[in-house]
Amino acid sequence: MMPPFPRRIPNVLHQLRVRDESIGGDNPFRWEEKTTHEIVGRGKNIIFSLPGAFTPTCSTYQLPDFEKLFSDFQEQGVENIFCLSVNDAFVMNCWAKDQGLNNVQVIPDGSAKFTSSIGMDVYKDNLGFGIRSWRYALVVENFEITKQFVERGFCHNATDDPYGVSAPQNILDFLQGKEYDAGGEALQLNLSDGVGSEDKLG
């Protein structure tokens, strides 16, 4: 059974890798520690979380679609969109670069502090992932969670990866006052065989 969400987003410490040209050399980055609230800031924002960087559904649909639809979200008053995953800063920065992100900002949650605080931590030992985040998205205003979009089937060691409720298109429908999916039938994408999600669509 899915645990209840807190009223406000947790405020935990994240270890970031930040570019600093004063360092020089081939790797001008330094460590920087920031809290979730410092990163997200006030205003109307979206935080979405997923099982892992570079995984099929996340890389093929969810992250790139949030990036493409950023201006549509801005029209609905959304200031920032954040992608959070139980991955370290090196992996998240590399994934952001690989995806060519200009709009969506990534948040590393390598120790799963945010994920466990919000109750979305699940075991994915069946895929060799360890502890990861269940797929969900939040509309947040001044740190208050005003709407949540959680994929169905919340459980440990799930054999599939439900996707639909937390899709950016579905969240946009909600923000635009249209009919939206609050948890009905959705595409089930199996990641355990390593086949790209585009091969699952038929």
Side-chain angles (χ1 to χ4, degrees):
M1 180 179 294
M2 189 186 77
F5 270 87
R7 183 174 57 87
R8 289 163 61 88
I9 58 170
N11 192 29
V12 305
L13 288 174
H14 301 269
Q15 302 296 331
L16 311 177
R17 291 289 289 171
V18 179
R19 191 173 186 88
D20 185 345
E21 297 299 342
S22 69
I23 296 174
D26 296 330
N27 188 29
F29 288 84
R30 59 177 169 79
W31 287 105
E32 184 172 280
E33 190 175 73
K34 281 191 174 184
T35 67
T36 311
H37 288 190
E38 286 176 320
I39 295 169
V40 174
R42 294 189 176 275
K44 186 175 183 179
N45 300 296
I46 289 175
I47 301 172
F48 69 99
S49 189
L50 35 78
F54 292 102
T55 51
T57 307
C58 312
S59 296
T60 306
Y61 295 104
Q62 196 170 25
L63 179 55
D65 283 355
F66 269 112
E67 175 74 11
K68 293 173 187 174
L69 294 171
F70 183 70
S71 60
D72 295 275
F73 280 102
Q74 284 184 309
E75 291 176 4
Q76 301 305 314
V78 173
E79 296 176 26
N80 300 288
I81 299 177
F82 299 92
C83 173
L84 183 142
S85 181
V86 182
N87 291 109
D88 61 70
F90 291 101
V91 170
M92 292 299 281
N93 286 355
C94 187
W95 191 32
K97 182 178 180 181
D98 181 74
Q99 289 279 319
L101 298 183
N102 293 309
N103 302 313
V104 176
Q105 303 173 56
V106 296
I107 302 177
D109 188 33
S111 297
K113 291 181 179 179
F114 182 95
T115 301
S116 59
S117 293
I118 207 167
M120 287 287 101
D121 52 316
V122 291
Y123 292 114
K124 285 190 170 288
D125 297 320
N126 59 323
L127 300 181
F129 283 13
I131 296 176
R132 294 297 177 104
S133 174
W134 191 253
R135 192 186 300 278
Y136 67 91
L138 307 172
V139 178
V140 178
E141 296 189 47
N142 296 323
F143 311 131
E144 304 281 332
I145 298 172
T146 60
K147 186 66 179 177
Q148 60 199 47
F149 299 83
V150 183
E151 299 296 341
R152 64 197 50 77
F154 180 90
C155 68
H156 294 297
N157 296 313
T159 57
D160 52 16
D161 180 24
Y163 178 58
V165 179
S166 65
Q169 294 86 349
N170 189 53
I171 300 171
L172 265 178
D173 283 344
F174 163 75
L175 292 173
Q176 293 169 348
K178 300 177 183 177
E179 184 177 348
Y180 69 97
D181 181 359
E185 288 296 316
L187 179 66
Q188 304 287 310
L189 300 175
N190 187 338
L191 301 185
S192 62
D193 59 8
V195 177
S197 54
E198 66 277 5
D199 296 323
K200 296 289 182 181
L201 294 172

